[in-house]
Amino acid sequence: MARPRKYDHDEVVEKMTLAFWERGYNGISMDDIGRITQLNRGSIYNAFGDKRALYLLALETYAQQSYGGAAQLVQDAPSTEMAVRSLYQAAFKGLSGEQTRWGCLLCNAAVEVAPVDQEVSDTVKKYLGLLSRAFVTSLKVSSPEASDASRVKNVAEQLTASYVGFNIMARAGVSTACLQRVSESAIDMTLVKQ
Amino acid sequence: MARPRKYDHDEVVEKMTLAFWERGYNGISMDDIGRITQLNRGSIYNAFGDKRALYLLALETYAQQSYGGAAQLVQDAPSTEMAVRSLYQAAFKGLSGEQTRWGCLLCNAAVEVAPVDQEVSDTVKKYLGLLSRAFVTSLKVSSPEASDASRVKNVAEQLTASYVGFNIMARAGVSTACLQRVSESAIDMTLVKQ
DNA sequence: TGAGTTATTGACTGTTCGGTCAACAAACAT
DNA sequence: ATGTTTGTTGACCGAACAGTCAATAACTCA
């Protein structure tokens, strides 16, 4: 019925996710987007709307994969200790090669975009909340006898905050040794019995 | 010998620190700077060099006050518990009114500027390191009998990561209740004995 | 084959960006 | 008074910015 696209929609989103992740929203121009996707301006606007819409799409895609995956990982682990262990193991795998200084797109969005874009702010809160709830679930299973619900929630949110801090520090260029210590102490945190 | 300045140098830096803190490096234009400081472009360039130099000055000033102050606070506290308590008490004081969504300029710089500016990256690492070392000092004093040096270092860096995460979450617009839980669990962390 | 629909192309727009500069003003020393 | 030095003013610059659009191309269906 009409002319078909000559590019893969998801592939474009994937490429732009990586670009926004590395350089941020303001670090990528429409010219950059054209170069990266090998698409002309018109095609981009025709397919995605505008720069902000493309960013929102990239952010949602990333968060779904990264935080959705992490939450699943945490909930499926046999214990909270193992959950945090595999969470940071995955994080370190991502922090290799050229991505060493990228941090986490959602955390970066929290700083650069969330304060001036309600929708981004909502997305950030949604996926941080998802991770926190996964920790709560894991903690309840891991030590059902353990302390009251309020303490469980506190620890869960501490683990989330610490994970966010970890990613920011990675983006700042903090040494791998230091990041390793942060992850180790996060694991230790789950071993504490009251 | 020459014409005197008609403005206060430190006052200008102070104003620009607040502006960069709220809106980020890319969120402030030279026109904004002119409006905020009530100075003409020429005066700004004459006095500070360029936008980057002014940002570096604002960042260093902020970090000195905020992280230098925090490190002092932590080291002077009678125990690590009290140290973390007063650190977050101070943080919450800053998170009131219009500054609720500002987070921390150093953490914001880590995300937005550090990856593309070595000097900013160095400043961020320097002051995060300062805070971590203050925690180490406090932990050693607070529980001298306690576990080995490596564990102390781990906990110290965990407290730093968690403080960074706290600030990012504040900027993202996470609820005060949630931030309160993060601070409470950070305090709890210091009470753990092995 | 041609009508209808959607994608592609790349030039174009007006705006905003960081930064420069020549003219001018205000101070002090002689 | 006059020279020297430094600060101030605001117009100006080229580059980069996000976004638009008319012309054209590729496809399906009748």
Side-chain angles (χ1 to χ4, degrees):
Chain A
M1 194 73 161
R3 181 172 176 175
R5 290 204 177 93
K6 69 172 204 182
Y7 60 90
D8 184 79
H9 190 272
D10 290 352
E11 207 174 279
V12 167
V13 174
E14 176 72 19
K15 279 178 185 167
M16 288 319 305
T17 300
L18 294 174
F20 283 129
W21 185 4
E22 180 183 8
R23 301 208 257 145
Y25 181 78
N26 289 304
I28 297 288
S29 70
M30 287 308 297
D31 280 348
D32 290 330
I33 294 175
R35 242 171 277 126
I36 292 165
T37 61
Q38 303 278 35
L39 257 40
N40 284 302
R41 265 175 141 64
S43 293
I44 297 160
Y45 279 91
N46 180 54
F48 299 99
D50 57 6
K51 190 187 170 189
R52 175 176 174 268
L54 183 50
Y55 181 79
L56 287 173
L57 189 55
L59 180 64
E60 188 67 38
T61 303
Y62 172 93
Q64 196 89 55
Q65 283 175 21
S66 180
Y67 280 72
Q72 206 60 55
L73 204 82
V74 167
Q75 277 169 334
D76 292 351
S79 68
T80 309
E81 187 208 344
M82 285 306 297
V84 176
R85 230 177 247 286
S86 48
L87 176 68
Y88 278 98
Q89 194 178 304
F92 271 104
K93 202 171 294 177
L95 287 184
S96 63
E98 62 172 7
Q99 295 197 2
T100 309
R101 293 283 303 266
W102 290 15
C104 155
L105 175 52
L106 197 77
C107 298
N108 301 346
V111 171
E112 191 193 4
V113 194
V116 293
D117 192 315
Q118 186 60 53
E119 207 165 333
V120 170
S121 172
D122 289 343
T123 300
V124 171
K125 285 185 279 186
K126 175 174 138 197
Y127 284 97
L128 291 184
L130 182 69
L131 183 59
S132 285
R133 268 179 280 116
F135 281 134
V136 167
T137 304
S138 173
L139 285 163
K140 276 181 182 162
V141 172
S142 205
S143 40
E145 86 293 353
S147 33
D148 56 307
S150 111
R151 162 144 279 141
V152 164
K153 209 170 178 184
N154 280 12
V155 173
E157 259 148 20
Q158 179 65 31
L159 287 167
T160 299
S162 143
Y163 181 68
V164 171
F166 172 91
N167 281 297
I168 301 304
M169 287 165 79
R171 189 165 175 93
V174 160
S175 73
T176 311
C178 180
L179 296 176
Q180 195 70 53
R181 286 193 288 272
V182 171
S183 82
E184 275 171 27
S185 56
I187 293 163
D188 288 351
M189 218 168 86
T190 66
L191 296 173
V192 171
K193 302 283 142 62
Q194 310 288 341
Chain B
M1 191 75 161
R3 183 173 175 175
R5 291 205 178 92
K6 69 172 206 182
Y7 59 89
D8 183 79
H9 191 272
D10 290 352
E11 205 173 282
V12 167
V13 174
E14 176 71 20
K15 279 178 184 169
M16 288 319 305
T17 300
L18 294 174
F20 283 130
W21 185 4
E22 180 183 9
R23 300 208 256 146
Y25 181 77
N26 290 305
I28 297 288
S29 68
M30 287 307 298
D31 280 348
D32 290 331
I33 295 176
R35 242 172 278 124
I36 292 165
T37 61
Q38 303 280 34
L39 255 40
N40 284 304
R41 263 174 143 65
S43 293
I44 297 160
Y45 278 91
N46 180 54
F48 299 99
D50 57 7
K51 190 188 169 188
R52 176 176 173 268
L54 183 51
Y55 181 78
L56 287 173
L57 188 56
L59 181 63
E60 187 67 37
T61 303
Y62 173 92
Q64 196 89 55
Q65 283 174 22
S66 180
Y67 280 71
Q72 205 60 55
L73 204 80
V74 167
Q75 278 169 333
D76 292 350
S79 69
T80 309
E81 188 208 343
M82 284 308 297
V84 176
R85 228 177 248 287
S86 49
L87 176 68
Y88 278 97
Q89 194 178 305
F92 271 105
K93 202 171 294 177
L95 287 183
S96 63
E98 62 171 9
Q99 295 198 0
T100 309
R101 294 283 303 268
W102 290 15
C104 155
L105 175 53
L106 197 78
C107 298
N108 301 346
V111 171
E112 192 193 4
V113 194
V116 293
D117 192 315
Q118 187 60 52
E119 207 166 332
V120 169
S121 173
D122 289 342
T123 300
V124 170
K125 285 185 279 187
K126 175 173 139 200
Y127 284 98
L128 290 184
L130 182 69
L131 183 59
S132 286
R133 269 180 279 116
F135 281 133
V136 167
T137 304
S138 173
L139 285 163
K140 277 181 182 160
V141 172
S142 206
S143 40
E145 85 295 353
S147 35
D148 56 307
S150 111
R151 163 142 279 140
V152 164
K153 210 170 179 185
N154 280 12
V155 173
E157 258 148 19
Q158 179 65 33
L159 288 168
T160 299
S162 144
Y163 181 68
V164 171
F166 172 91
N167 281 298
I168 302 303
M169 288 165 79
R171 188 165 174 91
V174 160
S175 72
T176 311
C178 180
L179 296 175
Q180 193 72 52
R181 286 192 289 272
V182 172
S183 82
E184 274 171 28
S185 55
I187 293 163
D188 287 351
M189 220 168 85
T190 66
L191 296 173
V192 172
K193 300 283 142 63
Q194 310 287 341

